[in-house]
Amino acid sequence: MKILVINSGSSSLKYQVYDMTNESVLAKGLVERIGMDSSILNHKPTGKEEITEVSEILEHTTAIRKVLDKLTHEVHGVMSSISEIQAVGHRVVHGGEAFKESALVTDEVKAEIRRLIDLAPLHNPAAMMGINAAELNMPGIPQVVVFDTAFHQTMPEHAYLYAIPRVLYNKYKVRRYGAHGTSHDFVSKAAAEFLDRPIEDLKIITCHVGNGGSLTAIKNGVSVDTSMGMTPLEGLMMGTRSGDLDPAIVPYVMNKEDLTINEVNSMLNKHSGLLAISGISSDMREITEGMEKGEANSTLAFNMYEYRLRKYIGSYAAAMNGVDVIVFTAGVGENSVVLRQRVLEQLTYLGVEVDEELNKIRSGEPRRISTANSKVEVLVIPTNEELVIARDTHRIVGATQ
Ligand SMILES: Nc1ncnc2c1ncn2[C@@H]1O[C@H](COP(=O)(O)OP(=O)(O)O)[C@@H](O)[C@H]1O
Ligand SMILES: CC(=O)OP(=O)(O)O
Ligand SMILES: [Mg+2]
């Protein structure tokens, strides 16, 4: 079965095509700047020359049509006809309490995702655009949705409730949902496999640090706490998101600066984090470069980012009464030698001992970066959210046929 996996952002669309007979990737790519003046499509067919095209792509329907054109292109294509794609899998960030696992797309499922837009105004509309666009371009092809929140539905009440009037949960389901669950689930299982130990015996802290970032405490193989909240804004400092802050700051700043709800949301989600503190970029590579050149604001941004990550690791070790494994994953976690080194050398109180040389090795494979004496195993595990989505889609669609 060939499966198209789609991860829709508000102005972007990432895709991968899998051949599930051997889980190989036939092609992958990215459409950026959808709805802006010039959109960019970068298509990478496996074993063939990649192609980048700049054009006007006003919405997701056109983006998917262009992607399908590339998949069947006579030079850059990987299949002779789109009918070879037998299923589409989508990443949906927010599944609320309704979705504890992945689901086949039906009218009811779509209606529920639409209802959840209220809880995830920045994320779920993009997912809906992706689902509708795939439906329009590939009528009749089964679609599956895989939720970032699903893995965290095992959190106990004391971890997911906020200390605010209970009526807000009863009426509006205001609670912690978390995100990146597909990734936390995948890397924690991969960690147990790497160590050749049953996951049920392990206390694992997974650090998914990319453009968005979250930590999860995983005990007996299930999520018991996670740093993102009702929306993906809470927790770590991120590329452009503030992470934790005193909630009283919001009405205070709204009042002082005469900001609307949308403006303050945009400030915290898009104009904060590394970007706000460094004043130059949301990209950890540029922040690290700035720090290495002795640039004060980049150094401060790095220090704040690292400090908050380290505090969360400490709090999740407390939440689980210990930690056996720490996993680093996603863009920053997999690639930033200096961030891992700085975090780990200050966790000696937990019995963590980082091997500086192992930490410097660059590889796309799961690897250990702690010493043989370390009481805590520290691993770098490349995440693969798309593969999990392809597997769930294959399983769910397969079961209907
Ligand atoms: N070599 C590197 N060193 C430090 N950070 C890196 C490196 N490579 C990538 N990154 C960071 O990874 C981030 C992207 O992570 P990723 O997991 O792909 O994010 P997302 O899925 O949210 O787009 C970039 O913003 C960049 O800061
Ligand atoms: C939920 C979220 O933060 O996603 P991303 O890391 O892809 O921005
Ligand atoms: Mg990501």
Side-chain angles (χ1 to χ4, degrees):
M1 186 186 283
K2 285 178 189 153
I3 291 177
L4 171 63
V5 174
I6 295 178
N7 181 350
S8 307
S10 52
S11 65
S12 70
L13 187 149
K14 290 186 203 163
Y15 63 94
Q16 290 202 15
V17 180
Y18 279 88
D19 180 347
M20 294 312 284
T21 47
N22 55 2
E23 294 190 336
S24 59
V25 176
L26 299 178
K28 60 176 152 185
L30 166 69
V31 186
E32 286 176 289
R33 301 176 57 83
I34 299 171
M36 297 181 205
D37 47 2
S38 50
S39 315
I40 305 162
L41 190 162
N42 176 240
H43 173 70
K44 290 181 180 156
T46 306
K48 291 185 178 180
E49 205 183 322
E50 69 176 81
I51 173 171
T52 301
E53 202 176 81
V54 179
S55 64
E56 192 166 281
I57 302 180
L58 291 179
E59 22 66 44
H60 286 66
T61 310
T62 317
I64 292 197
R65 207 184 58 244
K66 297 233 177 203
V67 169
L68 296 179
D69 286 348
K70 290 288 165 289
L71 291 174
T72 50
H73 191 275
E74 54 179 3
V75 181
H76 307 281
V78 292
M79 56 184 74
S80 50
S81 157
I82 283 309
S83 60
E84 290 180 34
I85 296 177
Q86 288 171 283
V88 182
H90 296 268
R91 173 192 185 201
V92 181
V93 169
H94 219 303
E97 286 186 335
F99 296 105
K100 294 186 175 20
E101 46 199 64
S102 306
L104 192 68
V105 174
T106 60
D107 286 345
E108 294 77 60
V109 166
K110 284 205 299 187
E112 189 57 40
I113 297 171
R114 233 177 271 119
R115 269 195 288 280
L116 289 164
I117 285 180
D118 217 21
L119 288 180
L122 298 167
H123 291 85
N124 277 30
M128 273 316 301
M129 287 192 279
I131 295 166
N132 288 331
E135 232 169 50
L136 276 171
N137 283 288
M138 311 166 79
I141 300 297
Q143 302 196 56
V144 166
V145 275
V146 179
F147 299 94
D148 264 41
T149 48
F151 179 63
H152 302 301
Q153 280 295 301
T154 49
M155 278 188 290
E157 217 173 17
H158 67 257
Y160 73 66
L161 280 184
Y162 291 109
I164 55 177
R166 188 67 184 247
V167 64
L168 296 172
Y169 171 68
N170 295 340
K171 272 172 90 173
Y172 309 115
K173 296 286 175 208
V174 173
R175 53 160 285 183
R176 175 184 310 287
Y177 293 95
H180 299 132
T182 312
S183 175
H184 291 293
D185 186 16
F186 177 80
V187 298
S188 59
K189 289 194 170 89
E193 217 165 275
F194 179 90
L195 297 169
D196 200 16
R197 290 177 62 185
I199 197 163
E200 293 75 22
D201 294 352
L202 296 171
K203 295 171 182 171
I204 308 176
I205 298 174
T206 47
C207 311
H208 175 109
V209 261
N211 190 27
S214 67
L215 260 72
T216 299
I218 299 168
K219 202 172 173 179
N220 305 322
V222 301
S223 168
V224 294
D225 204 351
T226 194
S227 62
M228 279 184 169
M230 183 177 87
T231 77
L233 180 56
E234 195 181 341
L236 297 173
M237 176 172 166
M238 304 174 221
T240 61
R241 287 172 242 172
S242 64
D244 295 337
L245 80 170
D246 181 346
I249 292 170
V250 176
Y252 182 83
V253 171
M254 284 177 82
N255 183 35
K256 288 284 181 195
E257 292 283 313
D258 205 12
L259 297 184
T260 63
I261 292 172
N262 280 344
E263 285 165 344
V264 78
N265 244 331
S266 163
M267 176 190 92
L268 296 172
N269 279 288
K270 297 183 180 157
H271 307 286
S272 295
L274 287 175
L275 177 63
I277 301 298
S278 70
I280 56 161
S281 174
S282 60
D283 190 312
M284 185 47 99
R285 282 166 289 205
E286 289 184 50
I287 303 297
T288 312
E289 263 175 47
M291 178 171 71
E292 280 159 4
K293 285 188 202 136
E295 211 272 312
N297 291 336
S298 295
T299 306
L300 176 61
F302 182 94
N303 288 344
M304 286 172 66
Y305 189 96
E306 179 277 319
Y307 177 64
R308 285 167 170 230
L309 174 56
R310 180 153 49 88
K311 283 206 297 184
Y312 259 106
I313 293 176
S315 83
Y316 284 173
M320 294 190 290
N321 189 18
V323 53
D324 302 308
V325 189
I326 297 172
V327 180
F328 285 91
T329 195
V332 180
E334 289 167 32
N335 296 301
S336 179
V337 173
V338 56
L339 180 81
R340 293 193 305 252
Q341 182 68 30
R342 287 272 299 276
V343 167
L344 293 168
E345 64 195 16
Q346 296 178 85
L347 295 177
T348 48
Y349 74 99
L350 289 174
V352 170
E353 214 177 89
V354 56
D355 184 318
E356 215 172 321
E357 294 312 310
L358 289 182
N359 184 37
K360 282 186 193 150
I361 295 173
R362 293 188 183 274
S363 126
E365 296 298 315
R367 55 201 185 273
R368 181 188 271 110
I369 58 170
S370 47
T371 65
N373 283 332
S374 182
K375 288 203 185 75
V376 180
E377 300 274 8
V378 186
L379 309 178
V380 178
I381 310 253
T383 194
N384 199 340
E385 291 156 289
E386 290 77 13
L387 178 61
V388 178
I389 295 172
R391 283 179 180 165
D392 274 15
T393 304
H394 188 226
R395 177 174 53 79
I396 290 172
V397 170
T400 65
Q401 288 172 347

